[in-house]
Amino acid sequence: DLALRLANNGYNGIFFSCEMDLVKLGHRIIANQLQVPLTLVQNKRTYEKMLEREDIKKEIKKIEERKNLKFYNGTFTISKIESYIKKFRLAQENIDFIVIDYLQLLHLDEKGGGTTYEKTTEISKSLKRIAQDNNICVFCISQLSRAYQSRRENIKKGEKWTPQ
């Protein structure tokens, strides 16, 4: 949503999805931009029915023709992200921001040991350097631990819970 809002306001960006394939990402974008439930876009029959409307076709065409937000999916390293940014700069395209979804699936360039904390710290430092070197904003999507789900019964009984 943040990337789409920035792009709708004229900013140029790259969205790196380390988890979701481009078809699923496309469904989410269409649902977001049309402000309809995702399930309507994911269901082939309802989506085809939506496409019968001219106003919907026109909005989807605008989404498809958008040039200021590029999407990539796969396995990414810090150097691979830097190479995408460099490629865009060489093509005379301005980049204002990048989004990485999600941080824990991003890889360091060198294979190394260490804890998840150490790896995440190193990745964060590298992304900060990329932001400074290229004068861009870097947004990283991360996931909190889902361990709290196993504590739902205690929470229902009145226990206070805050994310860690």
Side-chain angles (χ1 to χ4, degrees):
D1 186 57
L2 175 66
L4 291 172
R5 286 174 185 256
L6 287 168
N8 287 341
N9 284 300
Y11 294 99
N12 302 312
I14 306 172
F15 189 99
F16 296 99
S17 177
C18 300
E19 181 181 37
M20 193 178 300
D21 66 55
L22 294 178
V23 171
K24 288 180 183 174
L25 198 54
H27 287 158
R28 289 178 184 268
I29 291 166
I30 291 168
N32 179 295
Q33 293 298 102
L34 297 177
Q35 297 181 348
V36 297
L38 179 60
T39 54
L40 290 180
V41 177
Q42 290 173 324
N43 182 296
K44 186 177 180 180
R45 193 167 34 129
T46 57
Y47 185 64
E48 287 172 355
K49 188 100 170 140
M50 287 171 60
L51 289 177
E52 292 173 5
R53 292 180 43 191
E54 283 303 314
D55 58 331
I56 298 284
K57 274 194 239 183
K58 191 183 295 185
E59 284 300 314
I60 290 174
K61 188 167 178 65
K62 275 199 268 183
I63 293 167
E64 292 171 345
E65 292 174 346
R66 171 173 277 134
K67 301 285 188 228
N68 65 332
L69 183 57
K70 310 286 188 208
F71 294 91
Y72 296 99
N73 73 314
T75 304
F76 298 101
T77 62
I78 297 297
S79 61
K80 196 170 183 180
I81 287 173
E82 284 182 299
S83 70
Y84 277 101
I85 293 169
K86 189 180 290 185
K87 182 177 95 174
F88 277 81
R89 296 261 189 234
L90 290 174
Q92 306 288 316
E93 292 186 49
N94 186 33
I95 296 178
D96 300 305
F97 69 93
I98 63 171
V99 177
I100 299 166
D101 179 23
Y102 73 82
L103 183 64
Q104 289 92 331
L105 295 179
L106 195 59
H107 296 283
L108 288 168
D109 294 317
E110 65 280 345
K111 298 283 185 210
T115 64
T116 303
Y117 175 80
E118 291 168 338
K119 289 177 185 177
T120 305
T121 300
E122 192 57 41
I123 289 169
S124 298
K125 286 180 184 178
S126 298
L127 292 172
K128 182 177 181 179
R129 180 188 48 76
I130 288 172
Q132 290 172 332
D133 291 350
N134 294 284
N135 194 29
I136 61 173
C137 292
V138 175
F139 299 97
C140 295
I141 299 168
S142 184
Q143 185 171 338
L144 294 172
S145 168
R146 293 188 180 220
Y148 80 91
Q149 289 177 339
S150 64
R151 299 175 50 105
R152 278 194 177 152
E153 288 306 311
N154 291 336
I155 292 169
K156 286 180 185 174
K157 294 175 187 170
E159 178 185 316
K160 290 275 188 194
W161 180 83
T162 55
Q164 301 294 315

